[in-house]
Amino acid sequence: MAKGWQGPLPEMPSLPAARAWARLEPPEGYAVQWRRLIDAALELGLGPEELAESGMDDVAAAREWKPATVALYSKVARYGGVPLPTPPTPEPDPRTLDLRPLTEVRSEDPEHLRTVVWCAIALRWPAPVGSFRDLRREQVHATARRLVVTTDDGEWSVPGALTAWHAWEAVRNRFPALAGSPWVLPALRRGPGYTSQVGGRLSSQALQVTFTKHAVRTALYLRATTTGGRRTRAEALAAVYETLSYDSYRRLALAAGTEPVAARGAVRAERATRANKAAAAPPA
């Protein structure tokens, strides 16, 4: 059982910050984020007791963390036993964004195509990352005009993803381990785990990293290929892509009016959609 943080006894000195952190176990599945949180706290000389008392404001300011990052590390701290308040999950910033460049096929690189098909499907089926991790090829059917995604919760029509789907299927079928994999988004290389294998199921964290790399590479592509009058717009788009996460991508797709496919995020999506419509309405 993970040890939770406990305050010092009355009139007893606190442990040095580094020793206090060393007494805590990292929460399962968040070892990397836990280490980063500790490093950020120790830079300011904060142990778990001081962090619990002062909150995340000083750490966030020192690291220039955005609200979404603060929300993440606050959650990690709570999972590790440091009692921090729960900050509200921020709305996407900006509230609207052109996501189509992330769905465009630019090469036959397997990693590129795997993420492009993910983005193309998520634009119309904005499921949480865990749903994509578990999505099997047998659940996705290509018709003449669109993809159809079938889950235990229903069936969804996904227009606009056929090109990416066929390109990804054609390339993955060149490699036996990928061709035989049941997963829509399989591992392309072995990871550190004993059970990791090419064609195996990726972890949610690995998928998040894959998306981030794709967004950054798309930003570089936009900067390198856009000229003339579209340069300013491409530069602004690239700047957002450089820090875009899949969670934000999903929220933006929902805010654009795509029907929610899971309870998570549905209320916030409806709120964002109303805000977008209000912003677009002409003044009375």
Side-chain angles (χ1 to χ4, degrees):
M1 181 181 295
K3 295 181 289 185
W5 166 81
Q6 293 182 345
L9 295 173
E11 300 181 0
M12 291 288 289
S14 299
L15 286 173
R19 287 183 58 192
W21 283 112
R23 297 179 66 182
L24 301 181
E25 296 288 341
E28 184 177 356
Y30 292 92
V32 174
Q33 292 85 353
W34 180 253
R35 183 67 255 172
R36 291 172 182 165
L37 174 64
I38 292 176
D39 290 343
L42 288 178
E43 282 184 1
L44 301 180
L46 300 176
E49 176 190 357
E50 293 80 13
L51 185 64
E53 291 176 352
S54 63
M56 292 286 287
D57 289 347
D58 291 341
V59 174
R63 286 293 180 107
E64 298 182 348
W65 283 345
K66 294 185 177 181
T69 307
V70 174
L72 169 64
Y73 284 106
S74 297
K75 177 179 71 174
V76 171
R78 291 194 303 277
Y79 289 173
V82 181
L84 285 175
T86 304
T89 302
E91 298 291 342
D93 182 21
R95 286 182 173 173
T96 60
L97 188 70
D98 183 4
L99 302 174
R100 291 172 298 176
L102 295 163
T103 70
E104 295 172 356
V105 175
R106 298 192 300 271
S107 76
E108 291 191 346
D109 174 68
E111 186 171 9
H112 168 73
L113 289 174
R114 183 186 61 182
T115 318
V116 165
V117 78
W118 176 16
C119 291
I121 294 174
L123 205 57
R124 295 294 183 177
W125 189 67
V129 67
S131 297
F132 275 99
R133 176 178 182 257
D134 296 333
L135 189 64
R136 304 175 73 93
R137 294 169 84 180
E138 64 193 33
Q139 295 177 262
V140 182
H141 305 279
T143 70
R145 303 181 64 179
R146 65 196 65 208
L147 296 180
V148 177
V149 177
T150 305
T151 71
D152 292 339
D153 297 321
E155 186 175 279
W156 284 267
S157 176
V158 182
L162 273 179
T163 299
W165 176 260
H166 288 311
W168 169 227
E169 284 288 300
V171 168
R172 70 180 293 175
N173 284 334
R174 299 174 190 170
F175 306 94
L178 299 181
S181 172
W183 309 110
V184 169
L185 305 176
L188 302 180
R189 57 186 65 87
R190 289 194 61 182
Y194 289 112
T195 60
S196 176
Q197 60 182 341
V198 176
R201 184 169 59 165
L202 280 173
S203 67
S204 295
Q205 184 175 358
L207 279 174
Q208 295 278 20
V209 171
T210 294
F211 179 90
T212 300
K213 289 167 60 178
H214 176 64
V216 170
R217 288 168 179 167
T218 303
L220 293 173
Y221 173 81
L222 290 174
R223 287 195 170 104
T225 60
T226 308
T227 59
R230 296 184 299 169
R231 177 74 182 182
T232 301
R233 180 178 177 276
E235 180 64 35
L237 195 59
V240 179
Y241 281 1
E242 286 178 336
T243 59
L244 191 67
S245 67
Y246 175 71
D247 288 339
S248 293
Y249 180 93
R250 176 174 175 264
R251 291 178 196 139
L252 286 161
L254 289 167
T258 301
E259 180 183 355
V261 298
R264 178 185 172 190
V267 174
R268 296 180 67 247
E270 182 180 356
R271 186 168 66 242
T273 301
R274 289 199 303 267
N276 289 341
K277 289 180 178 178

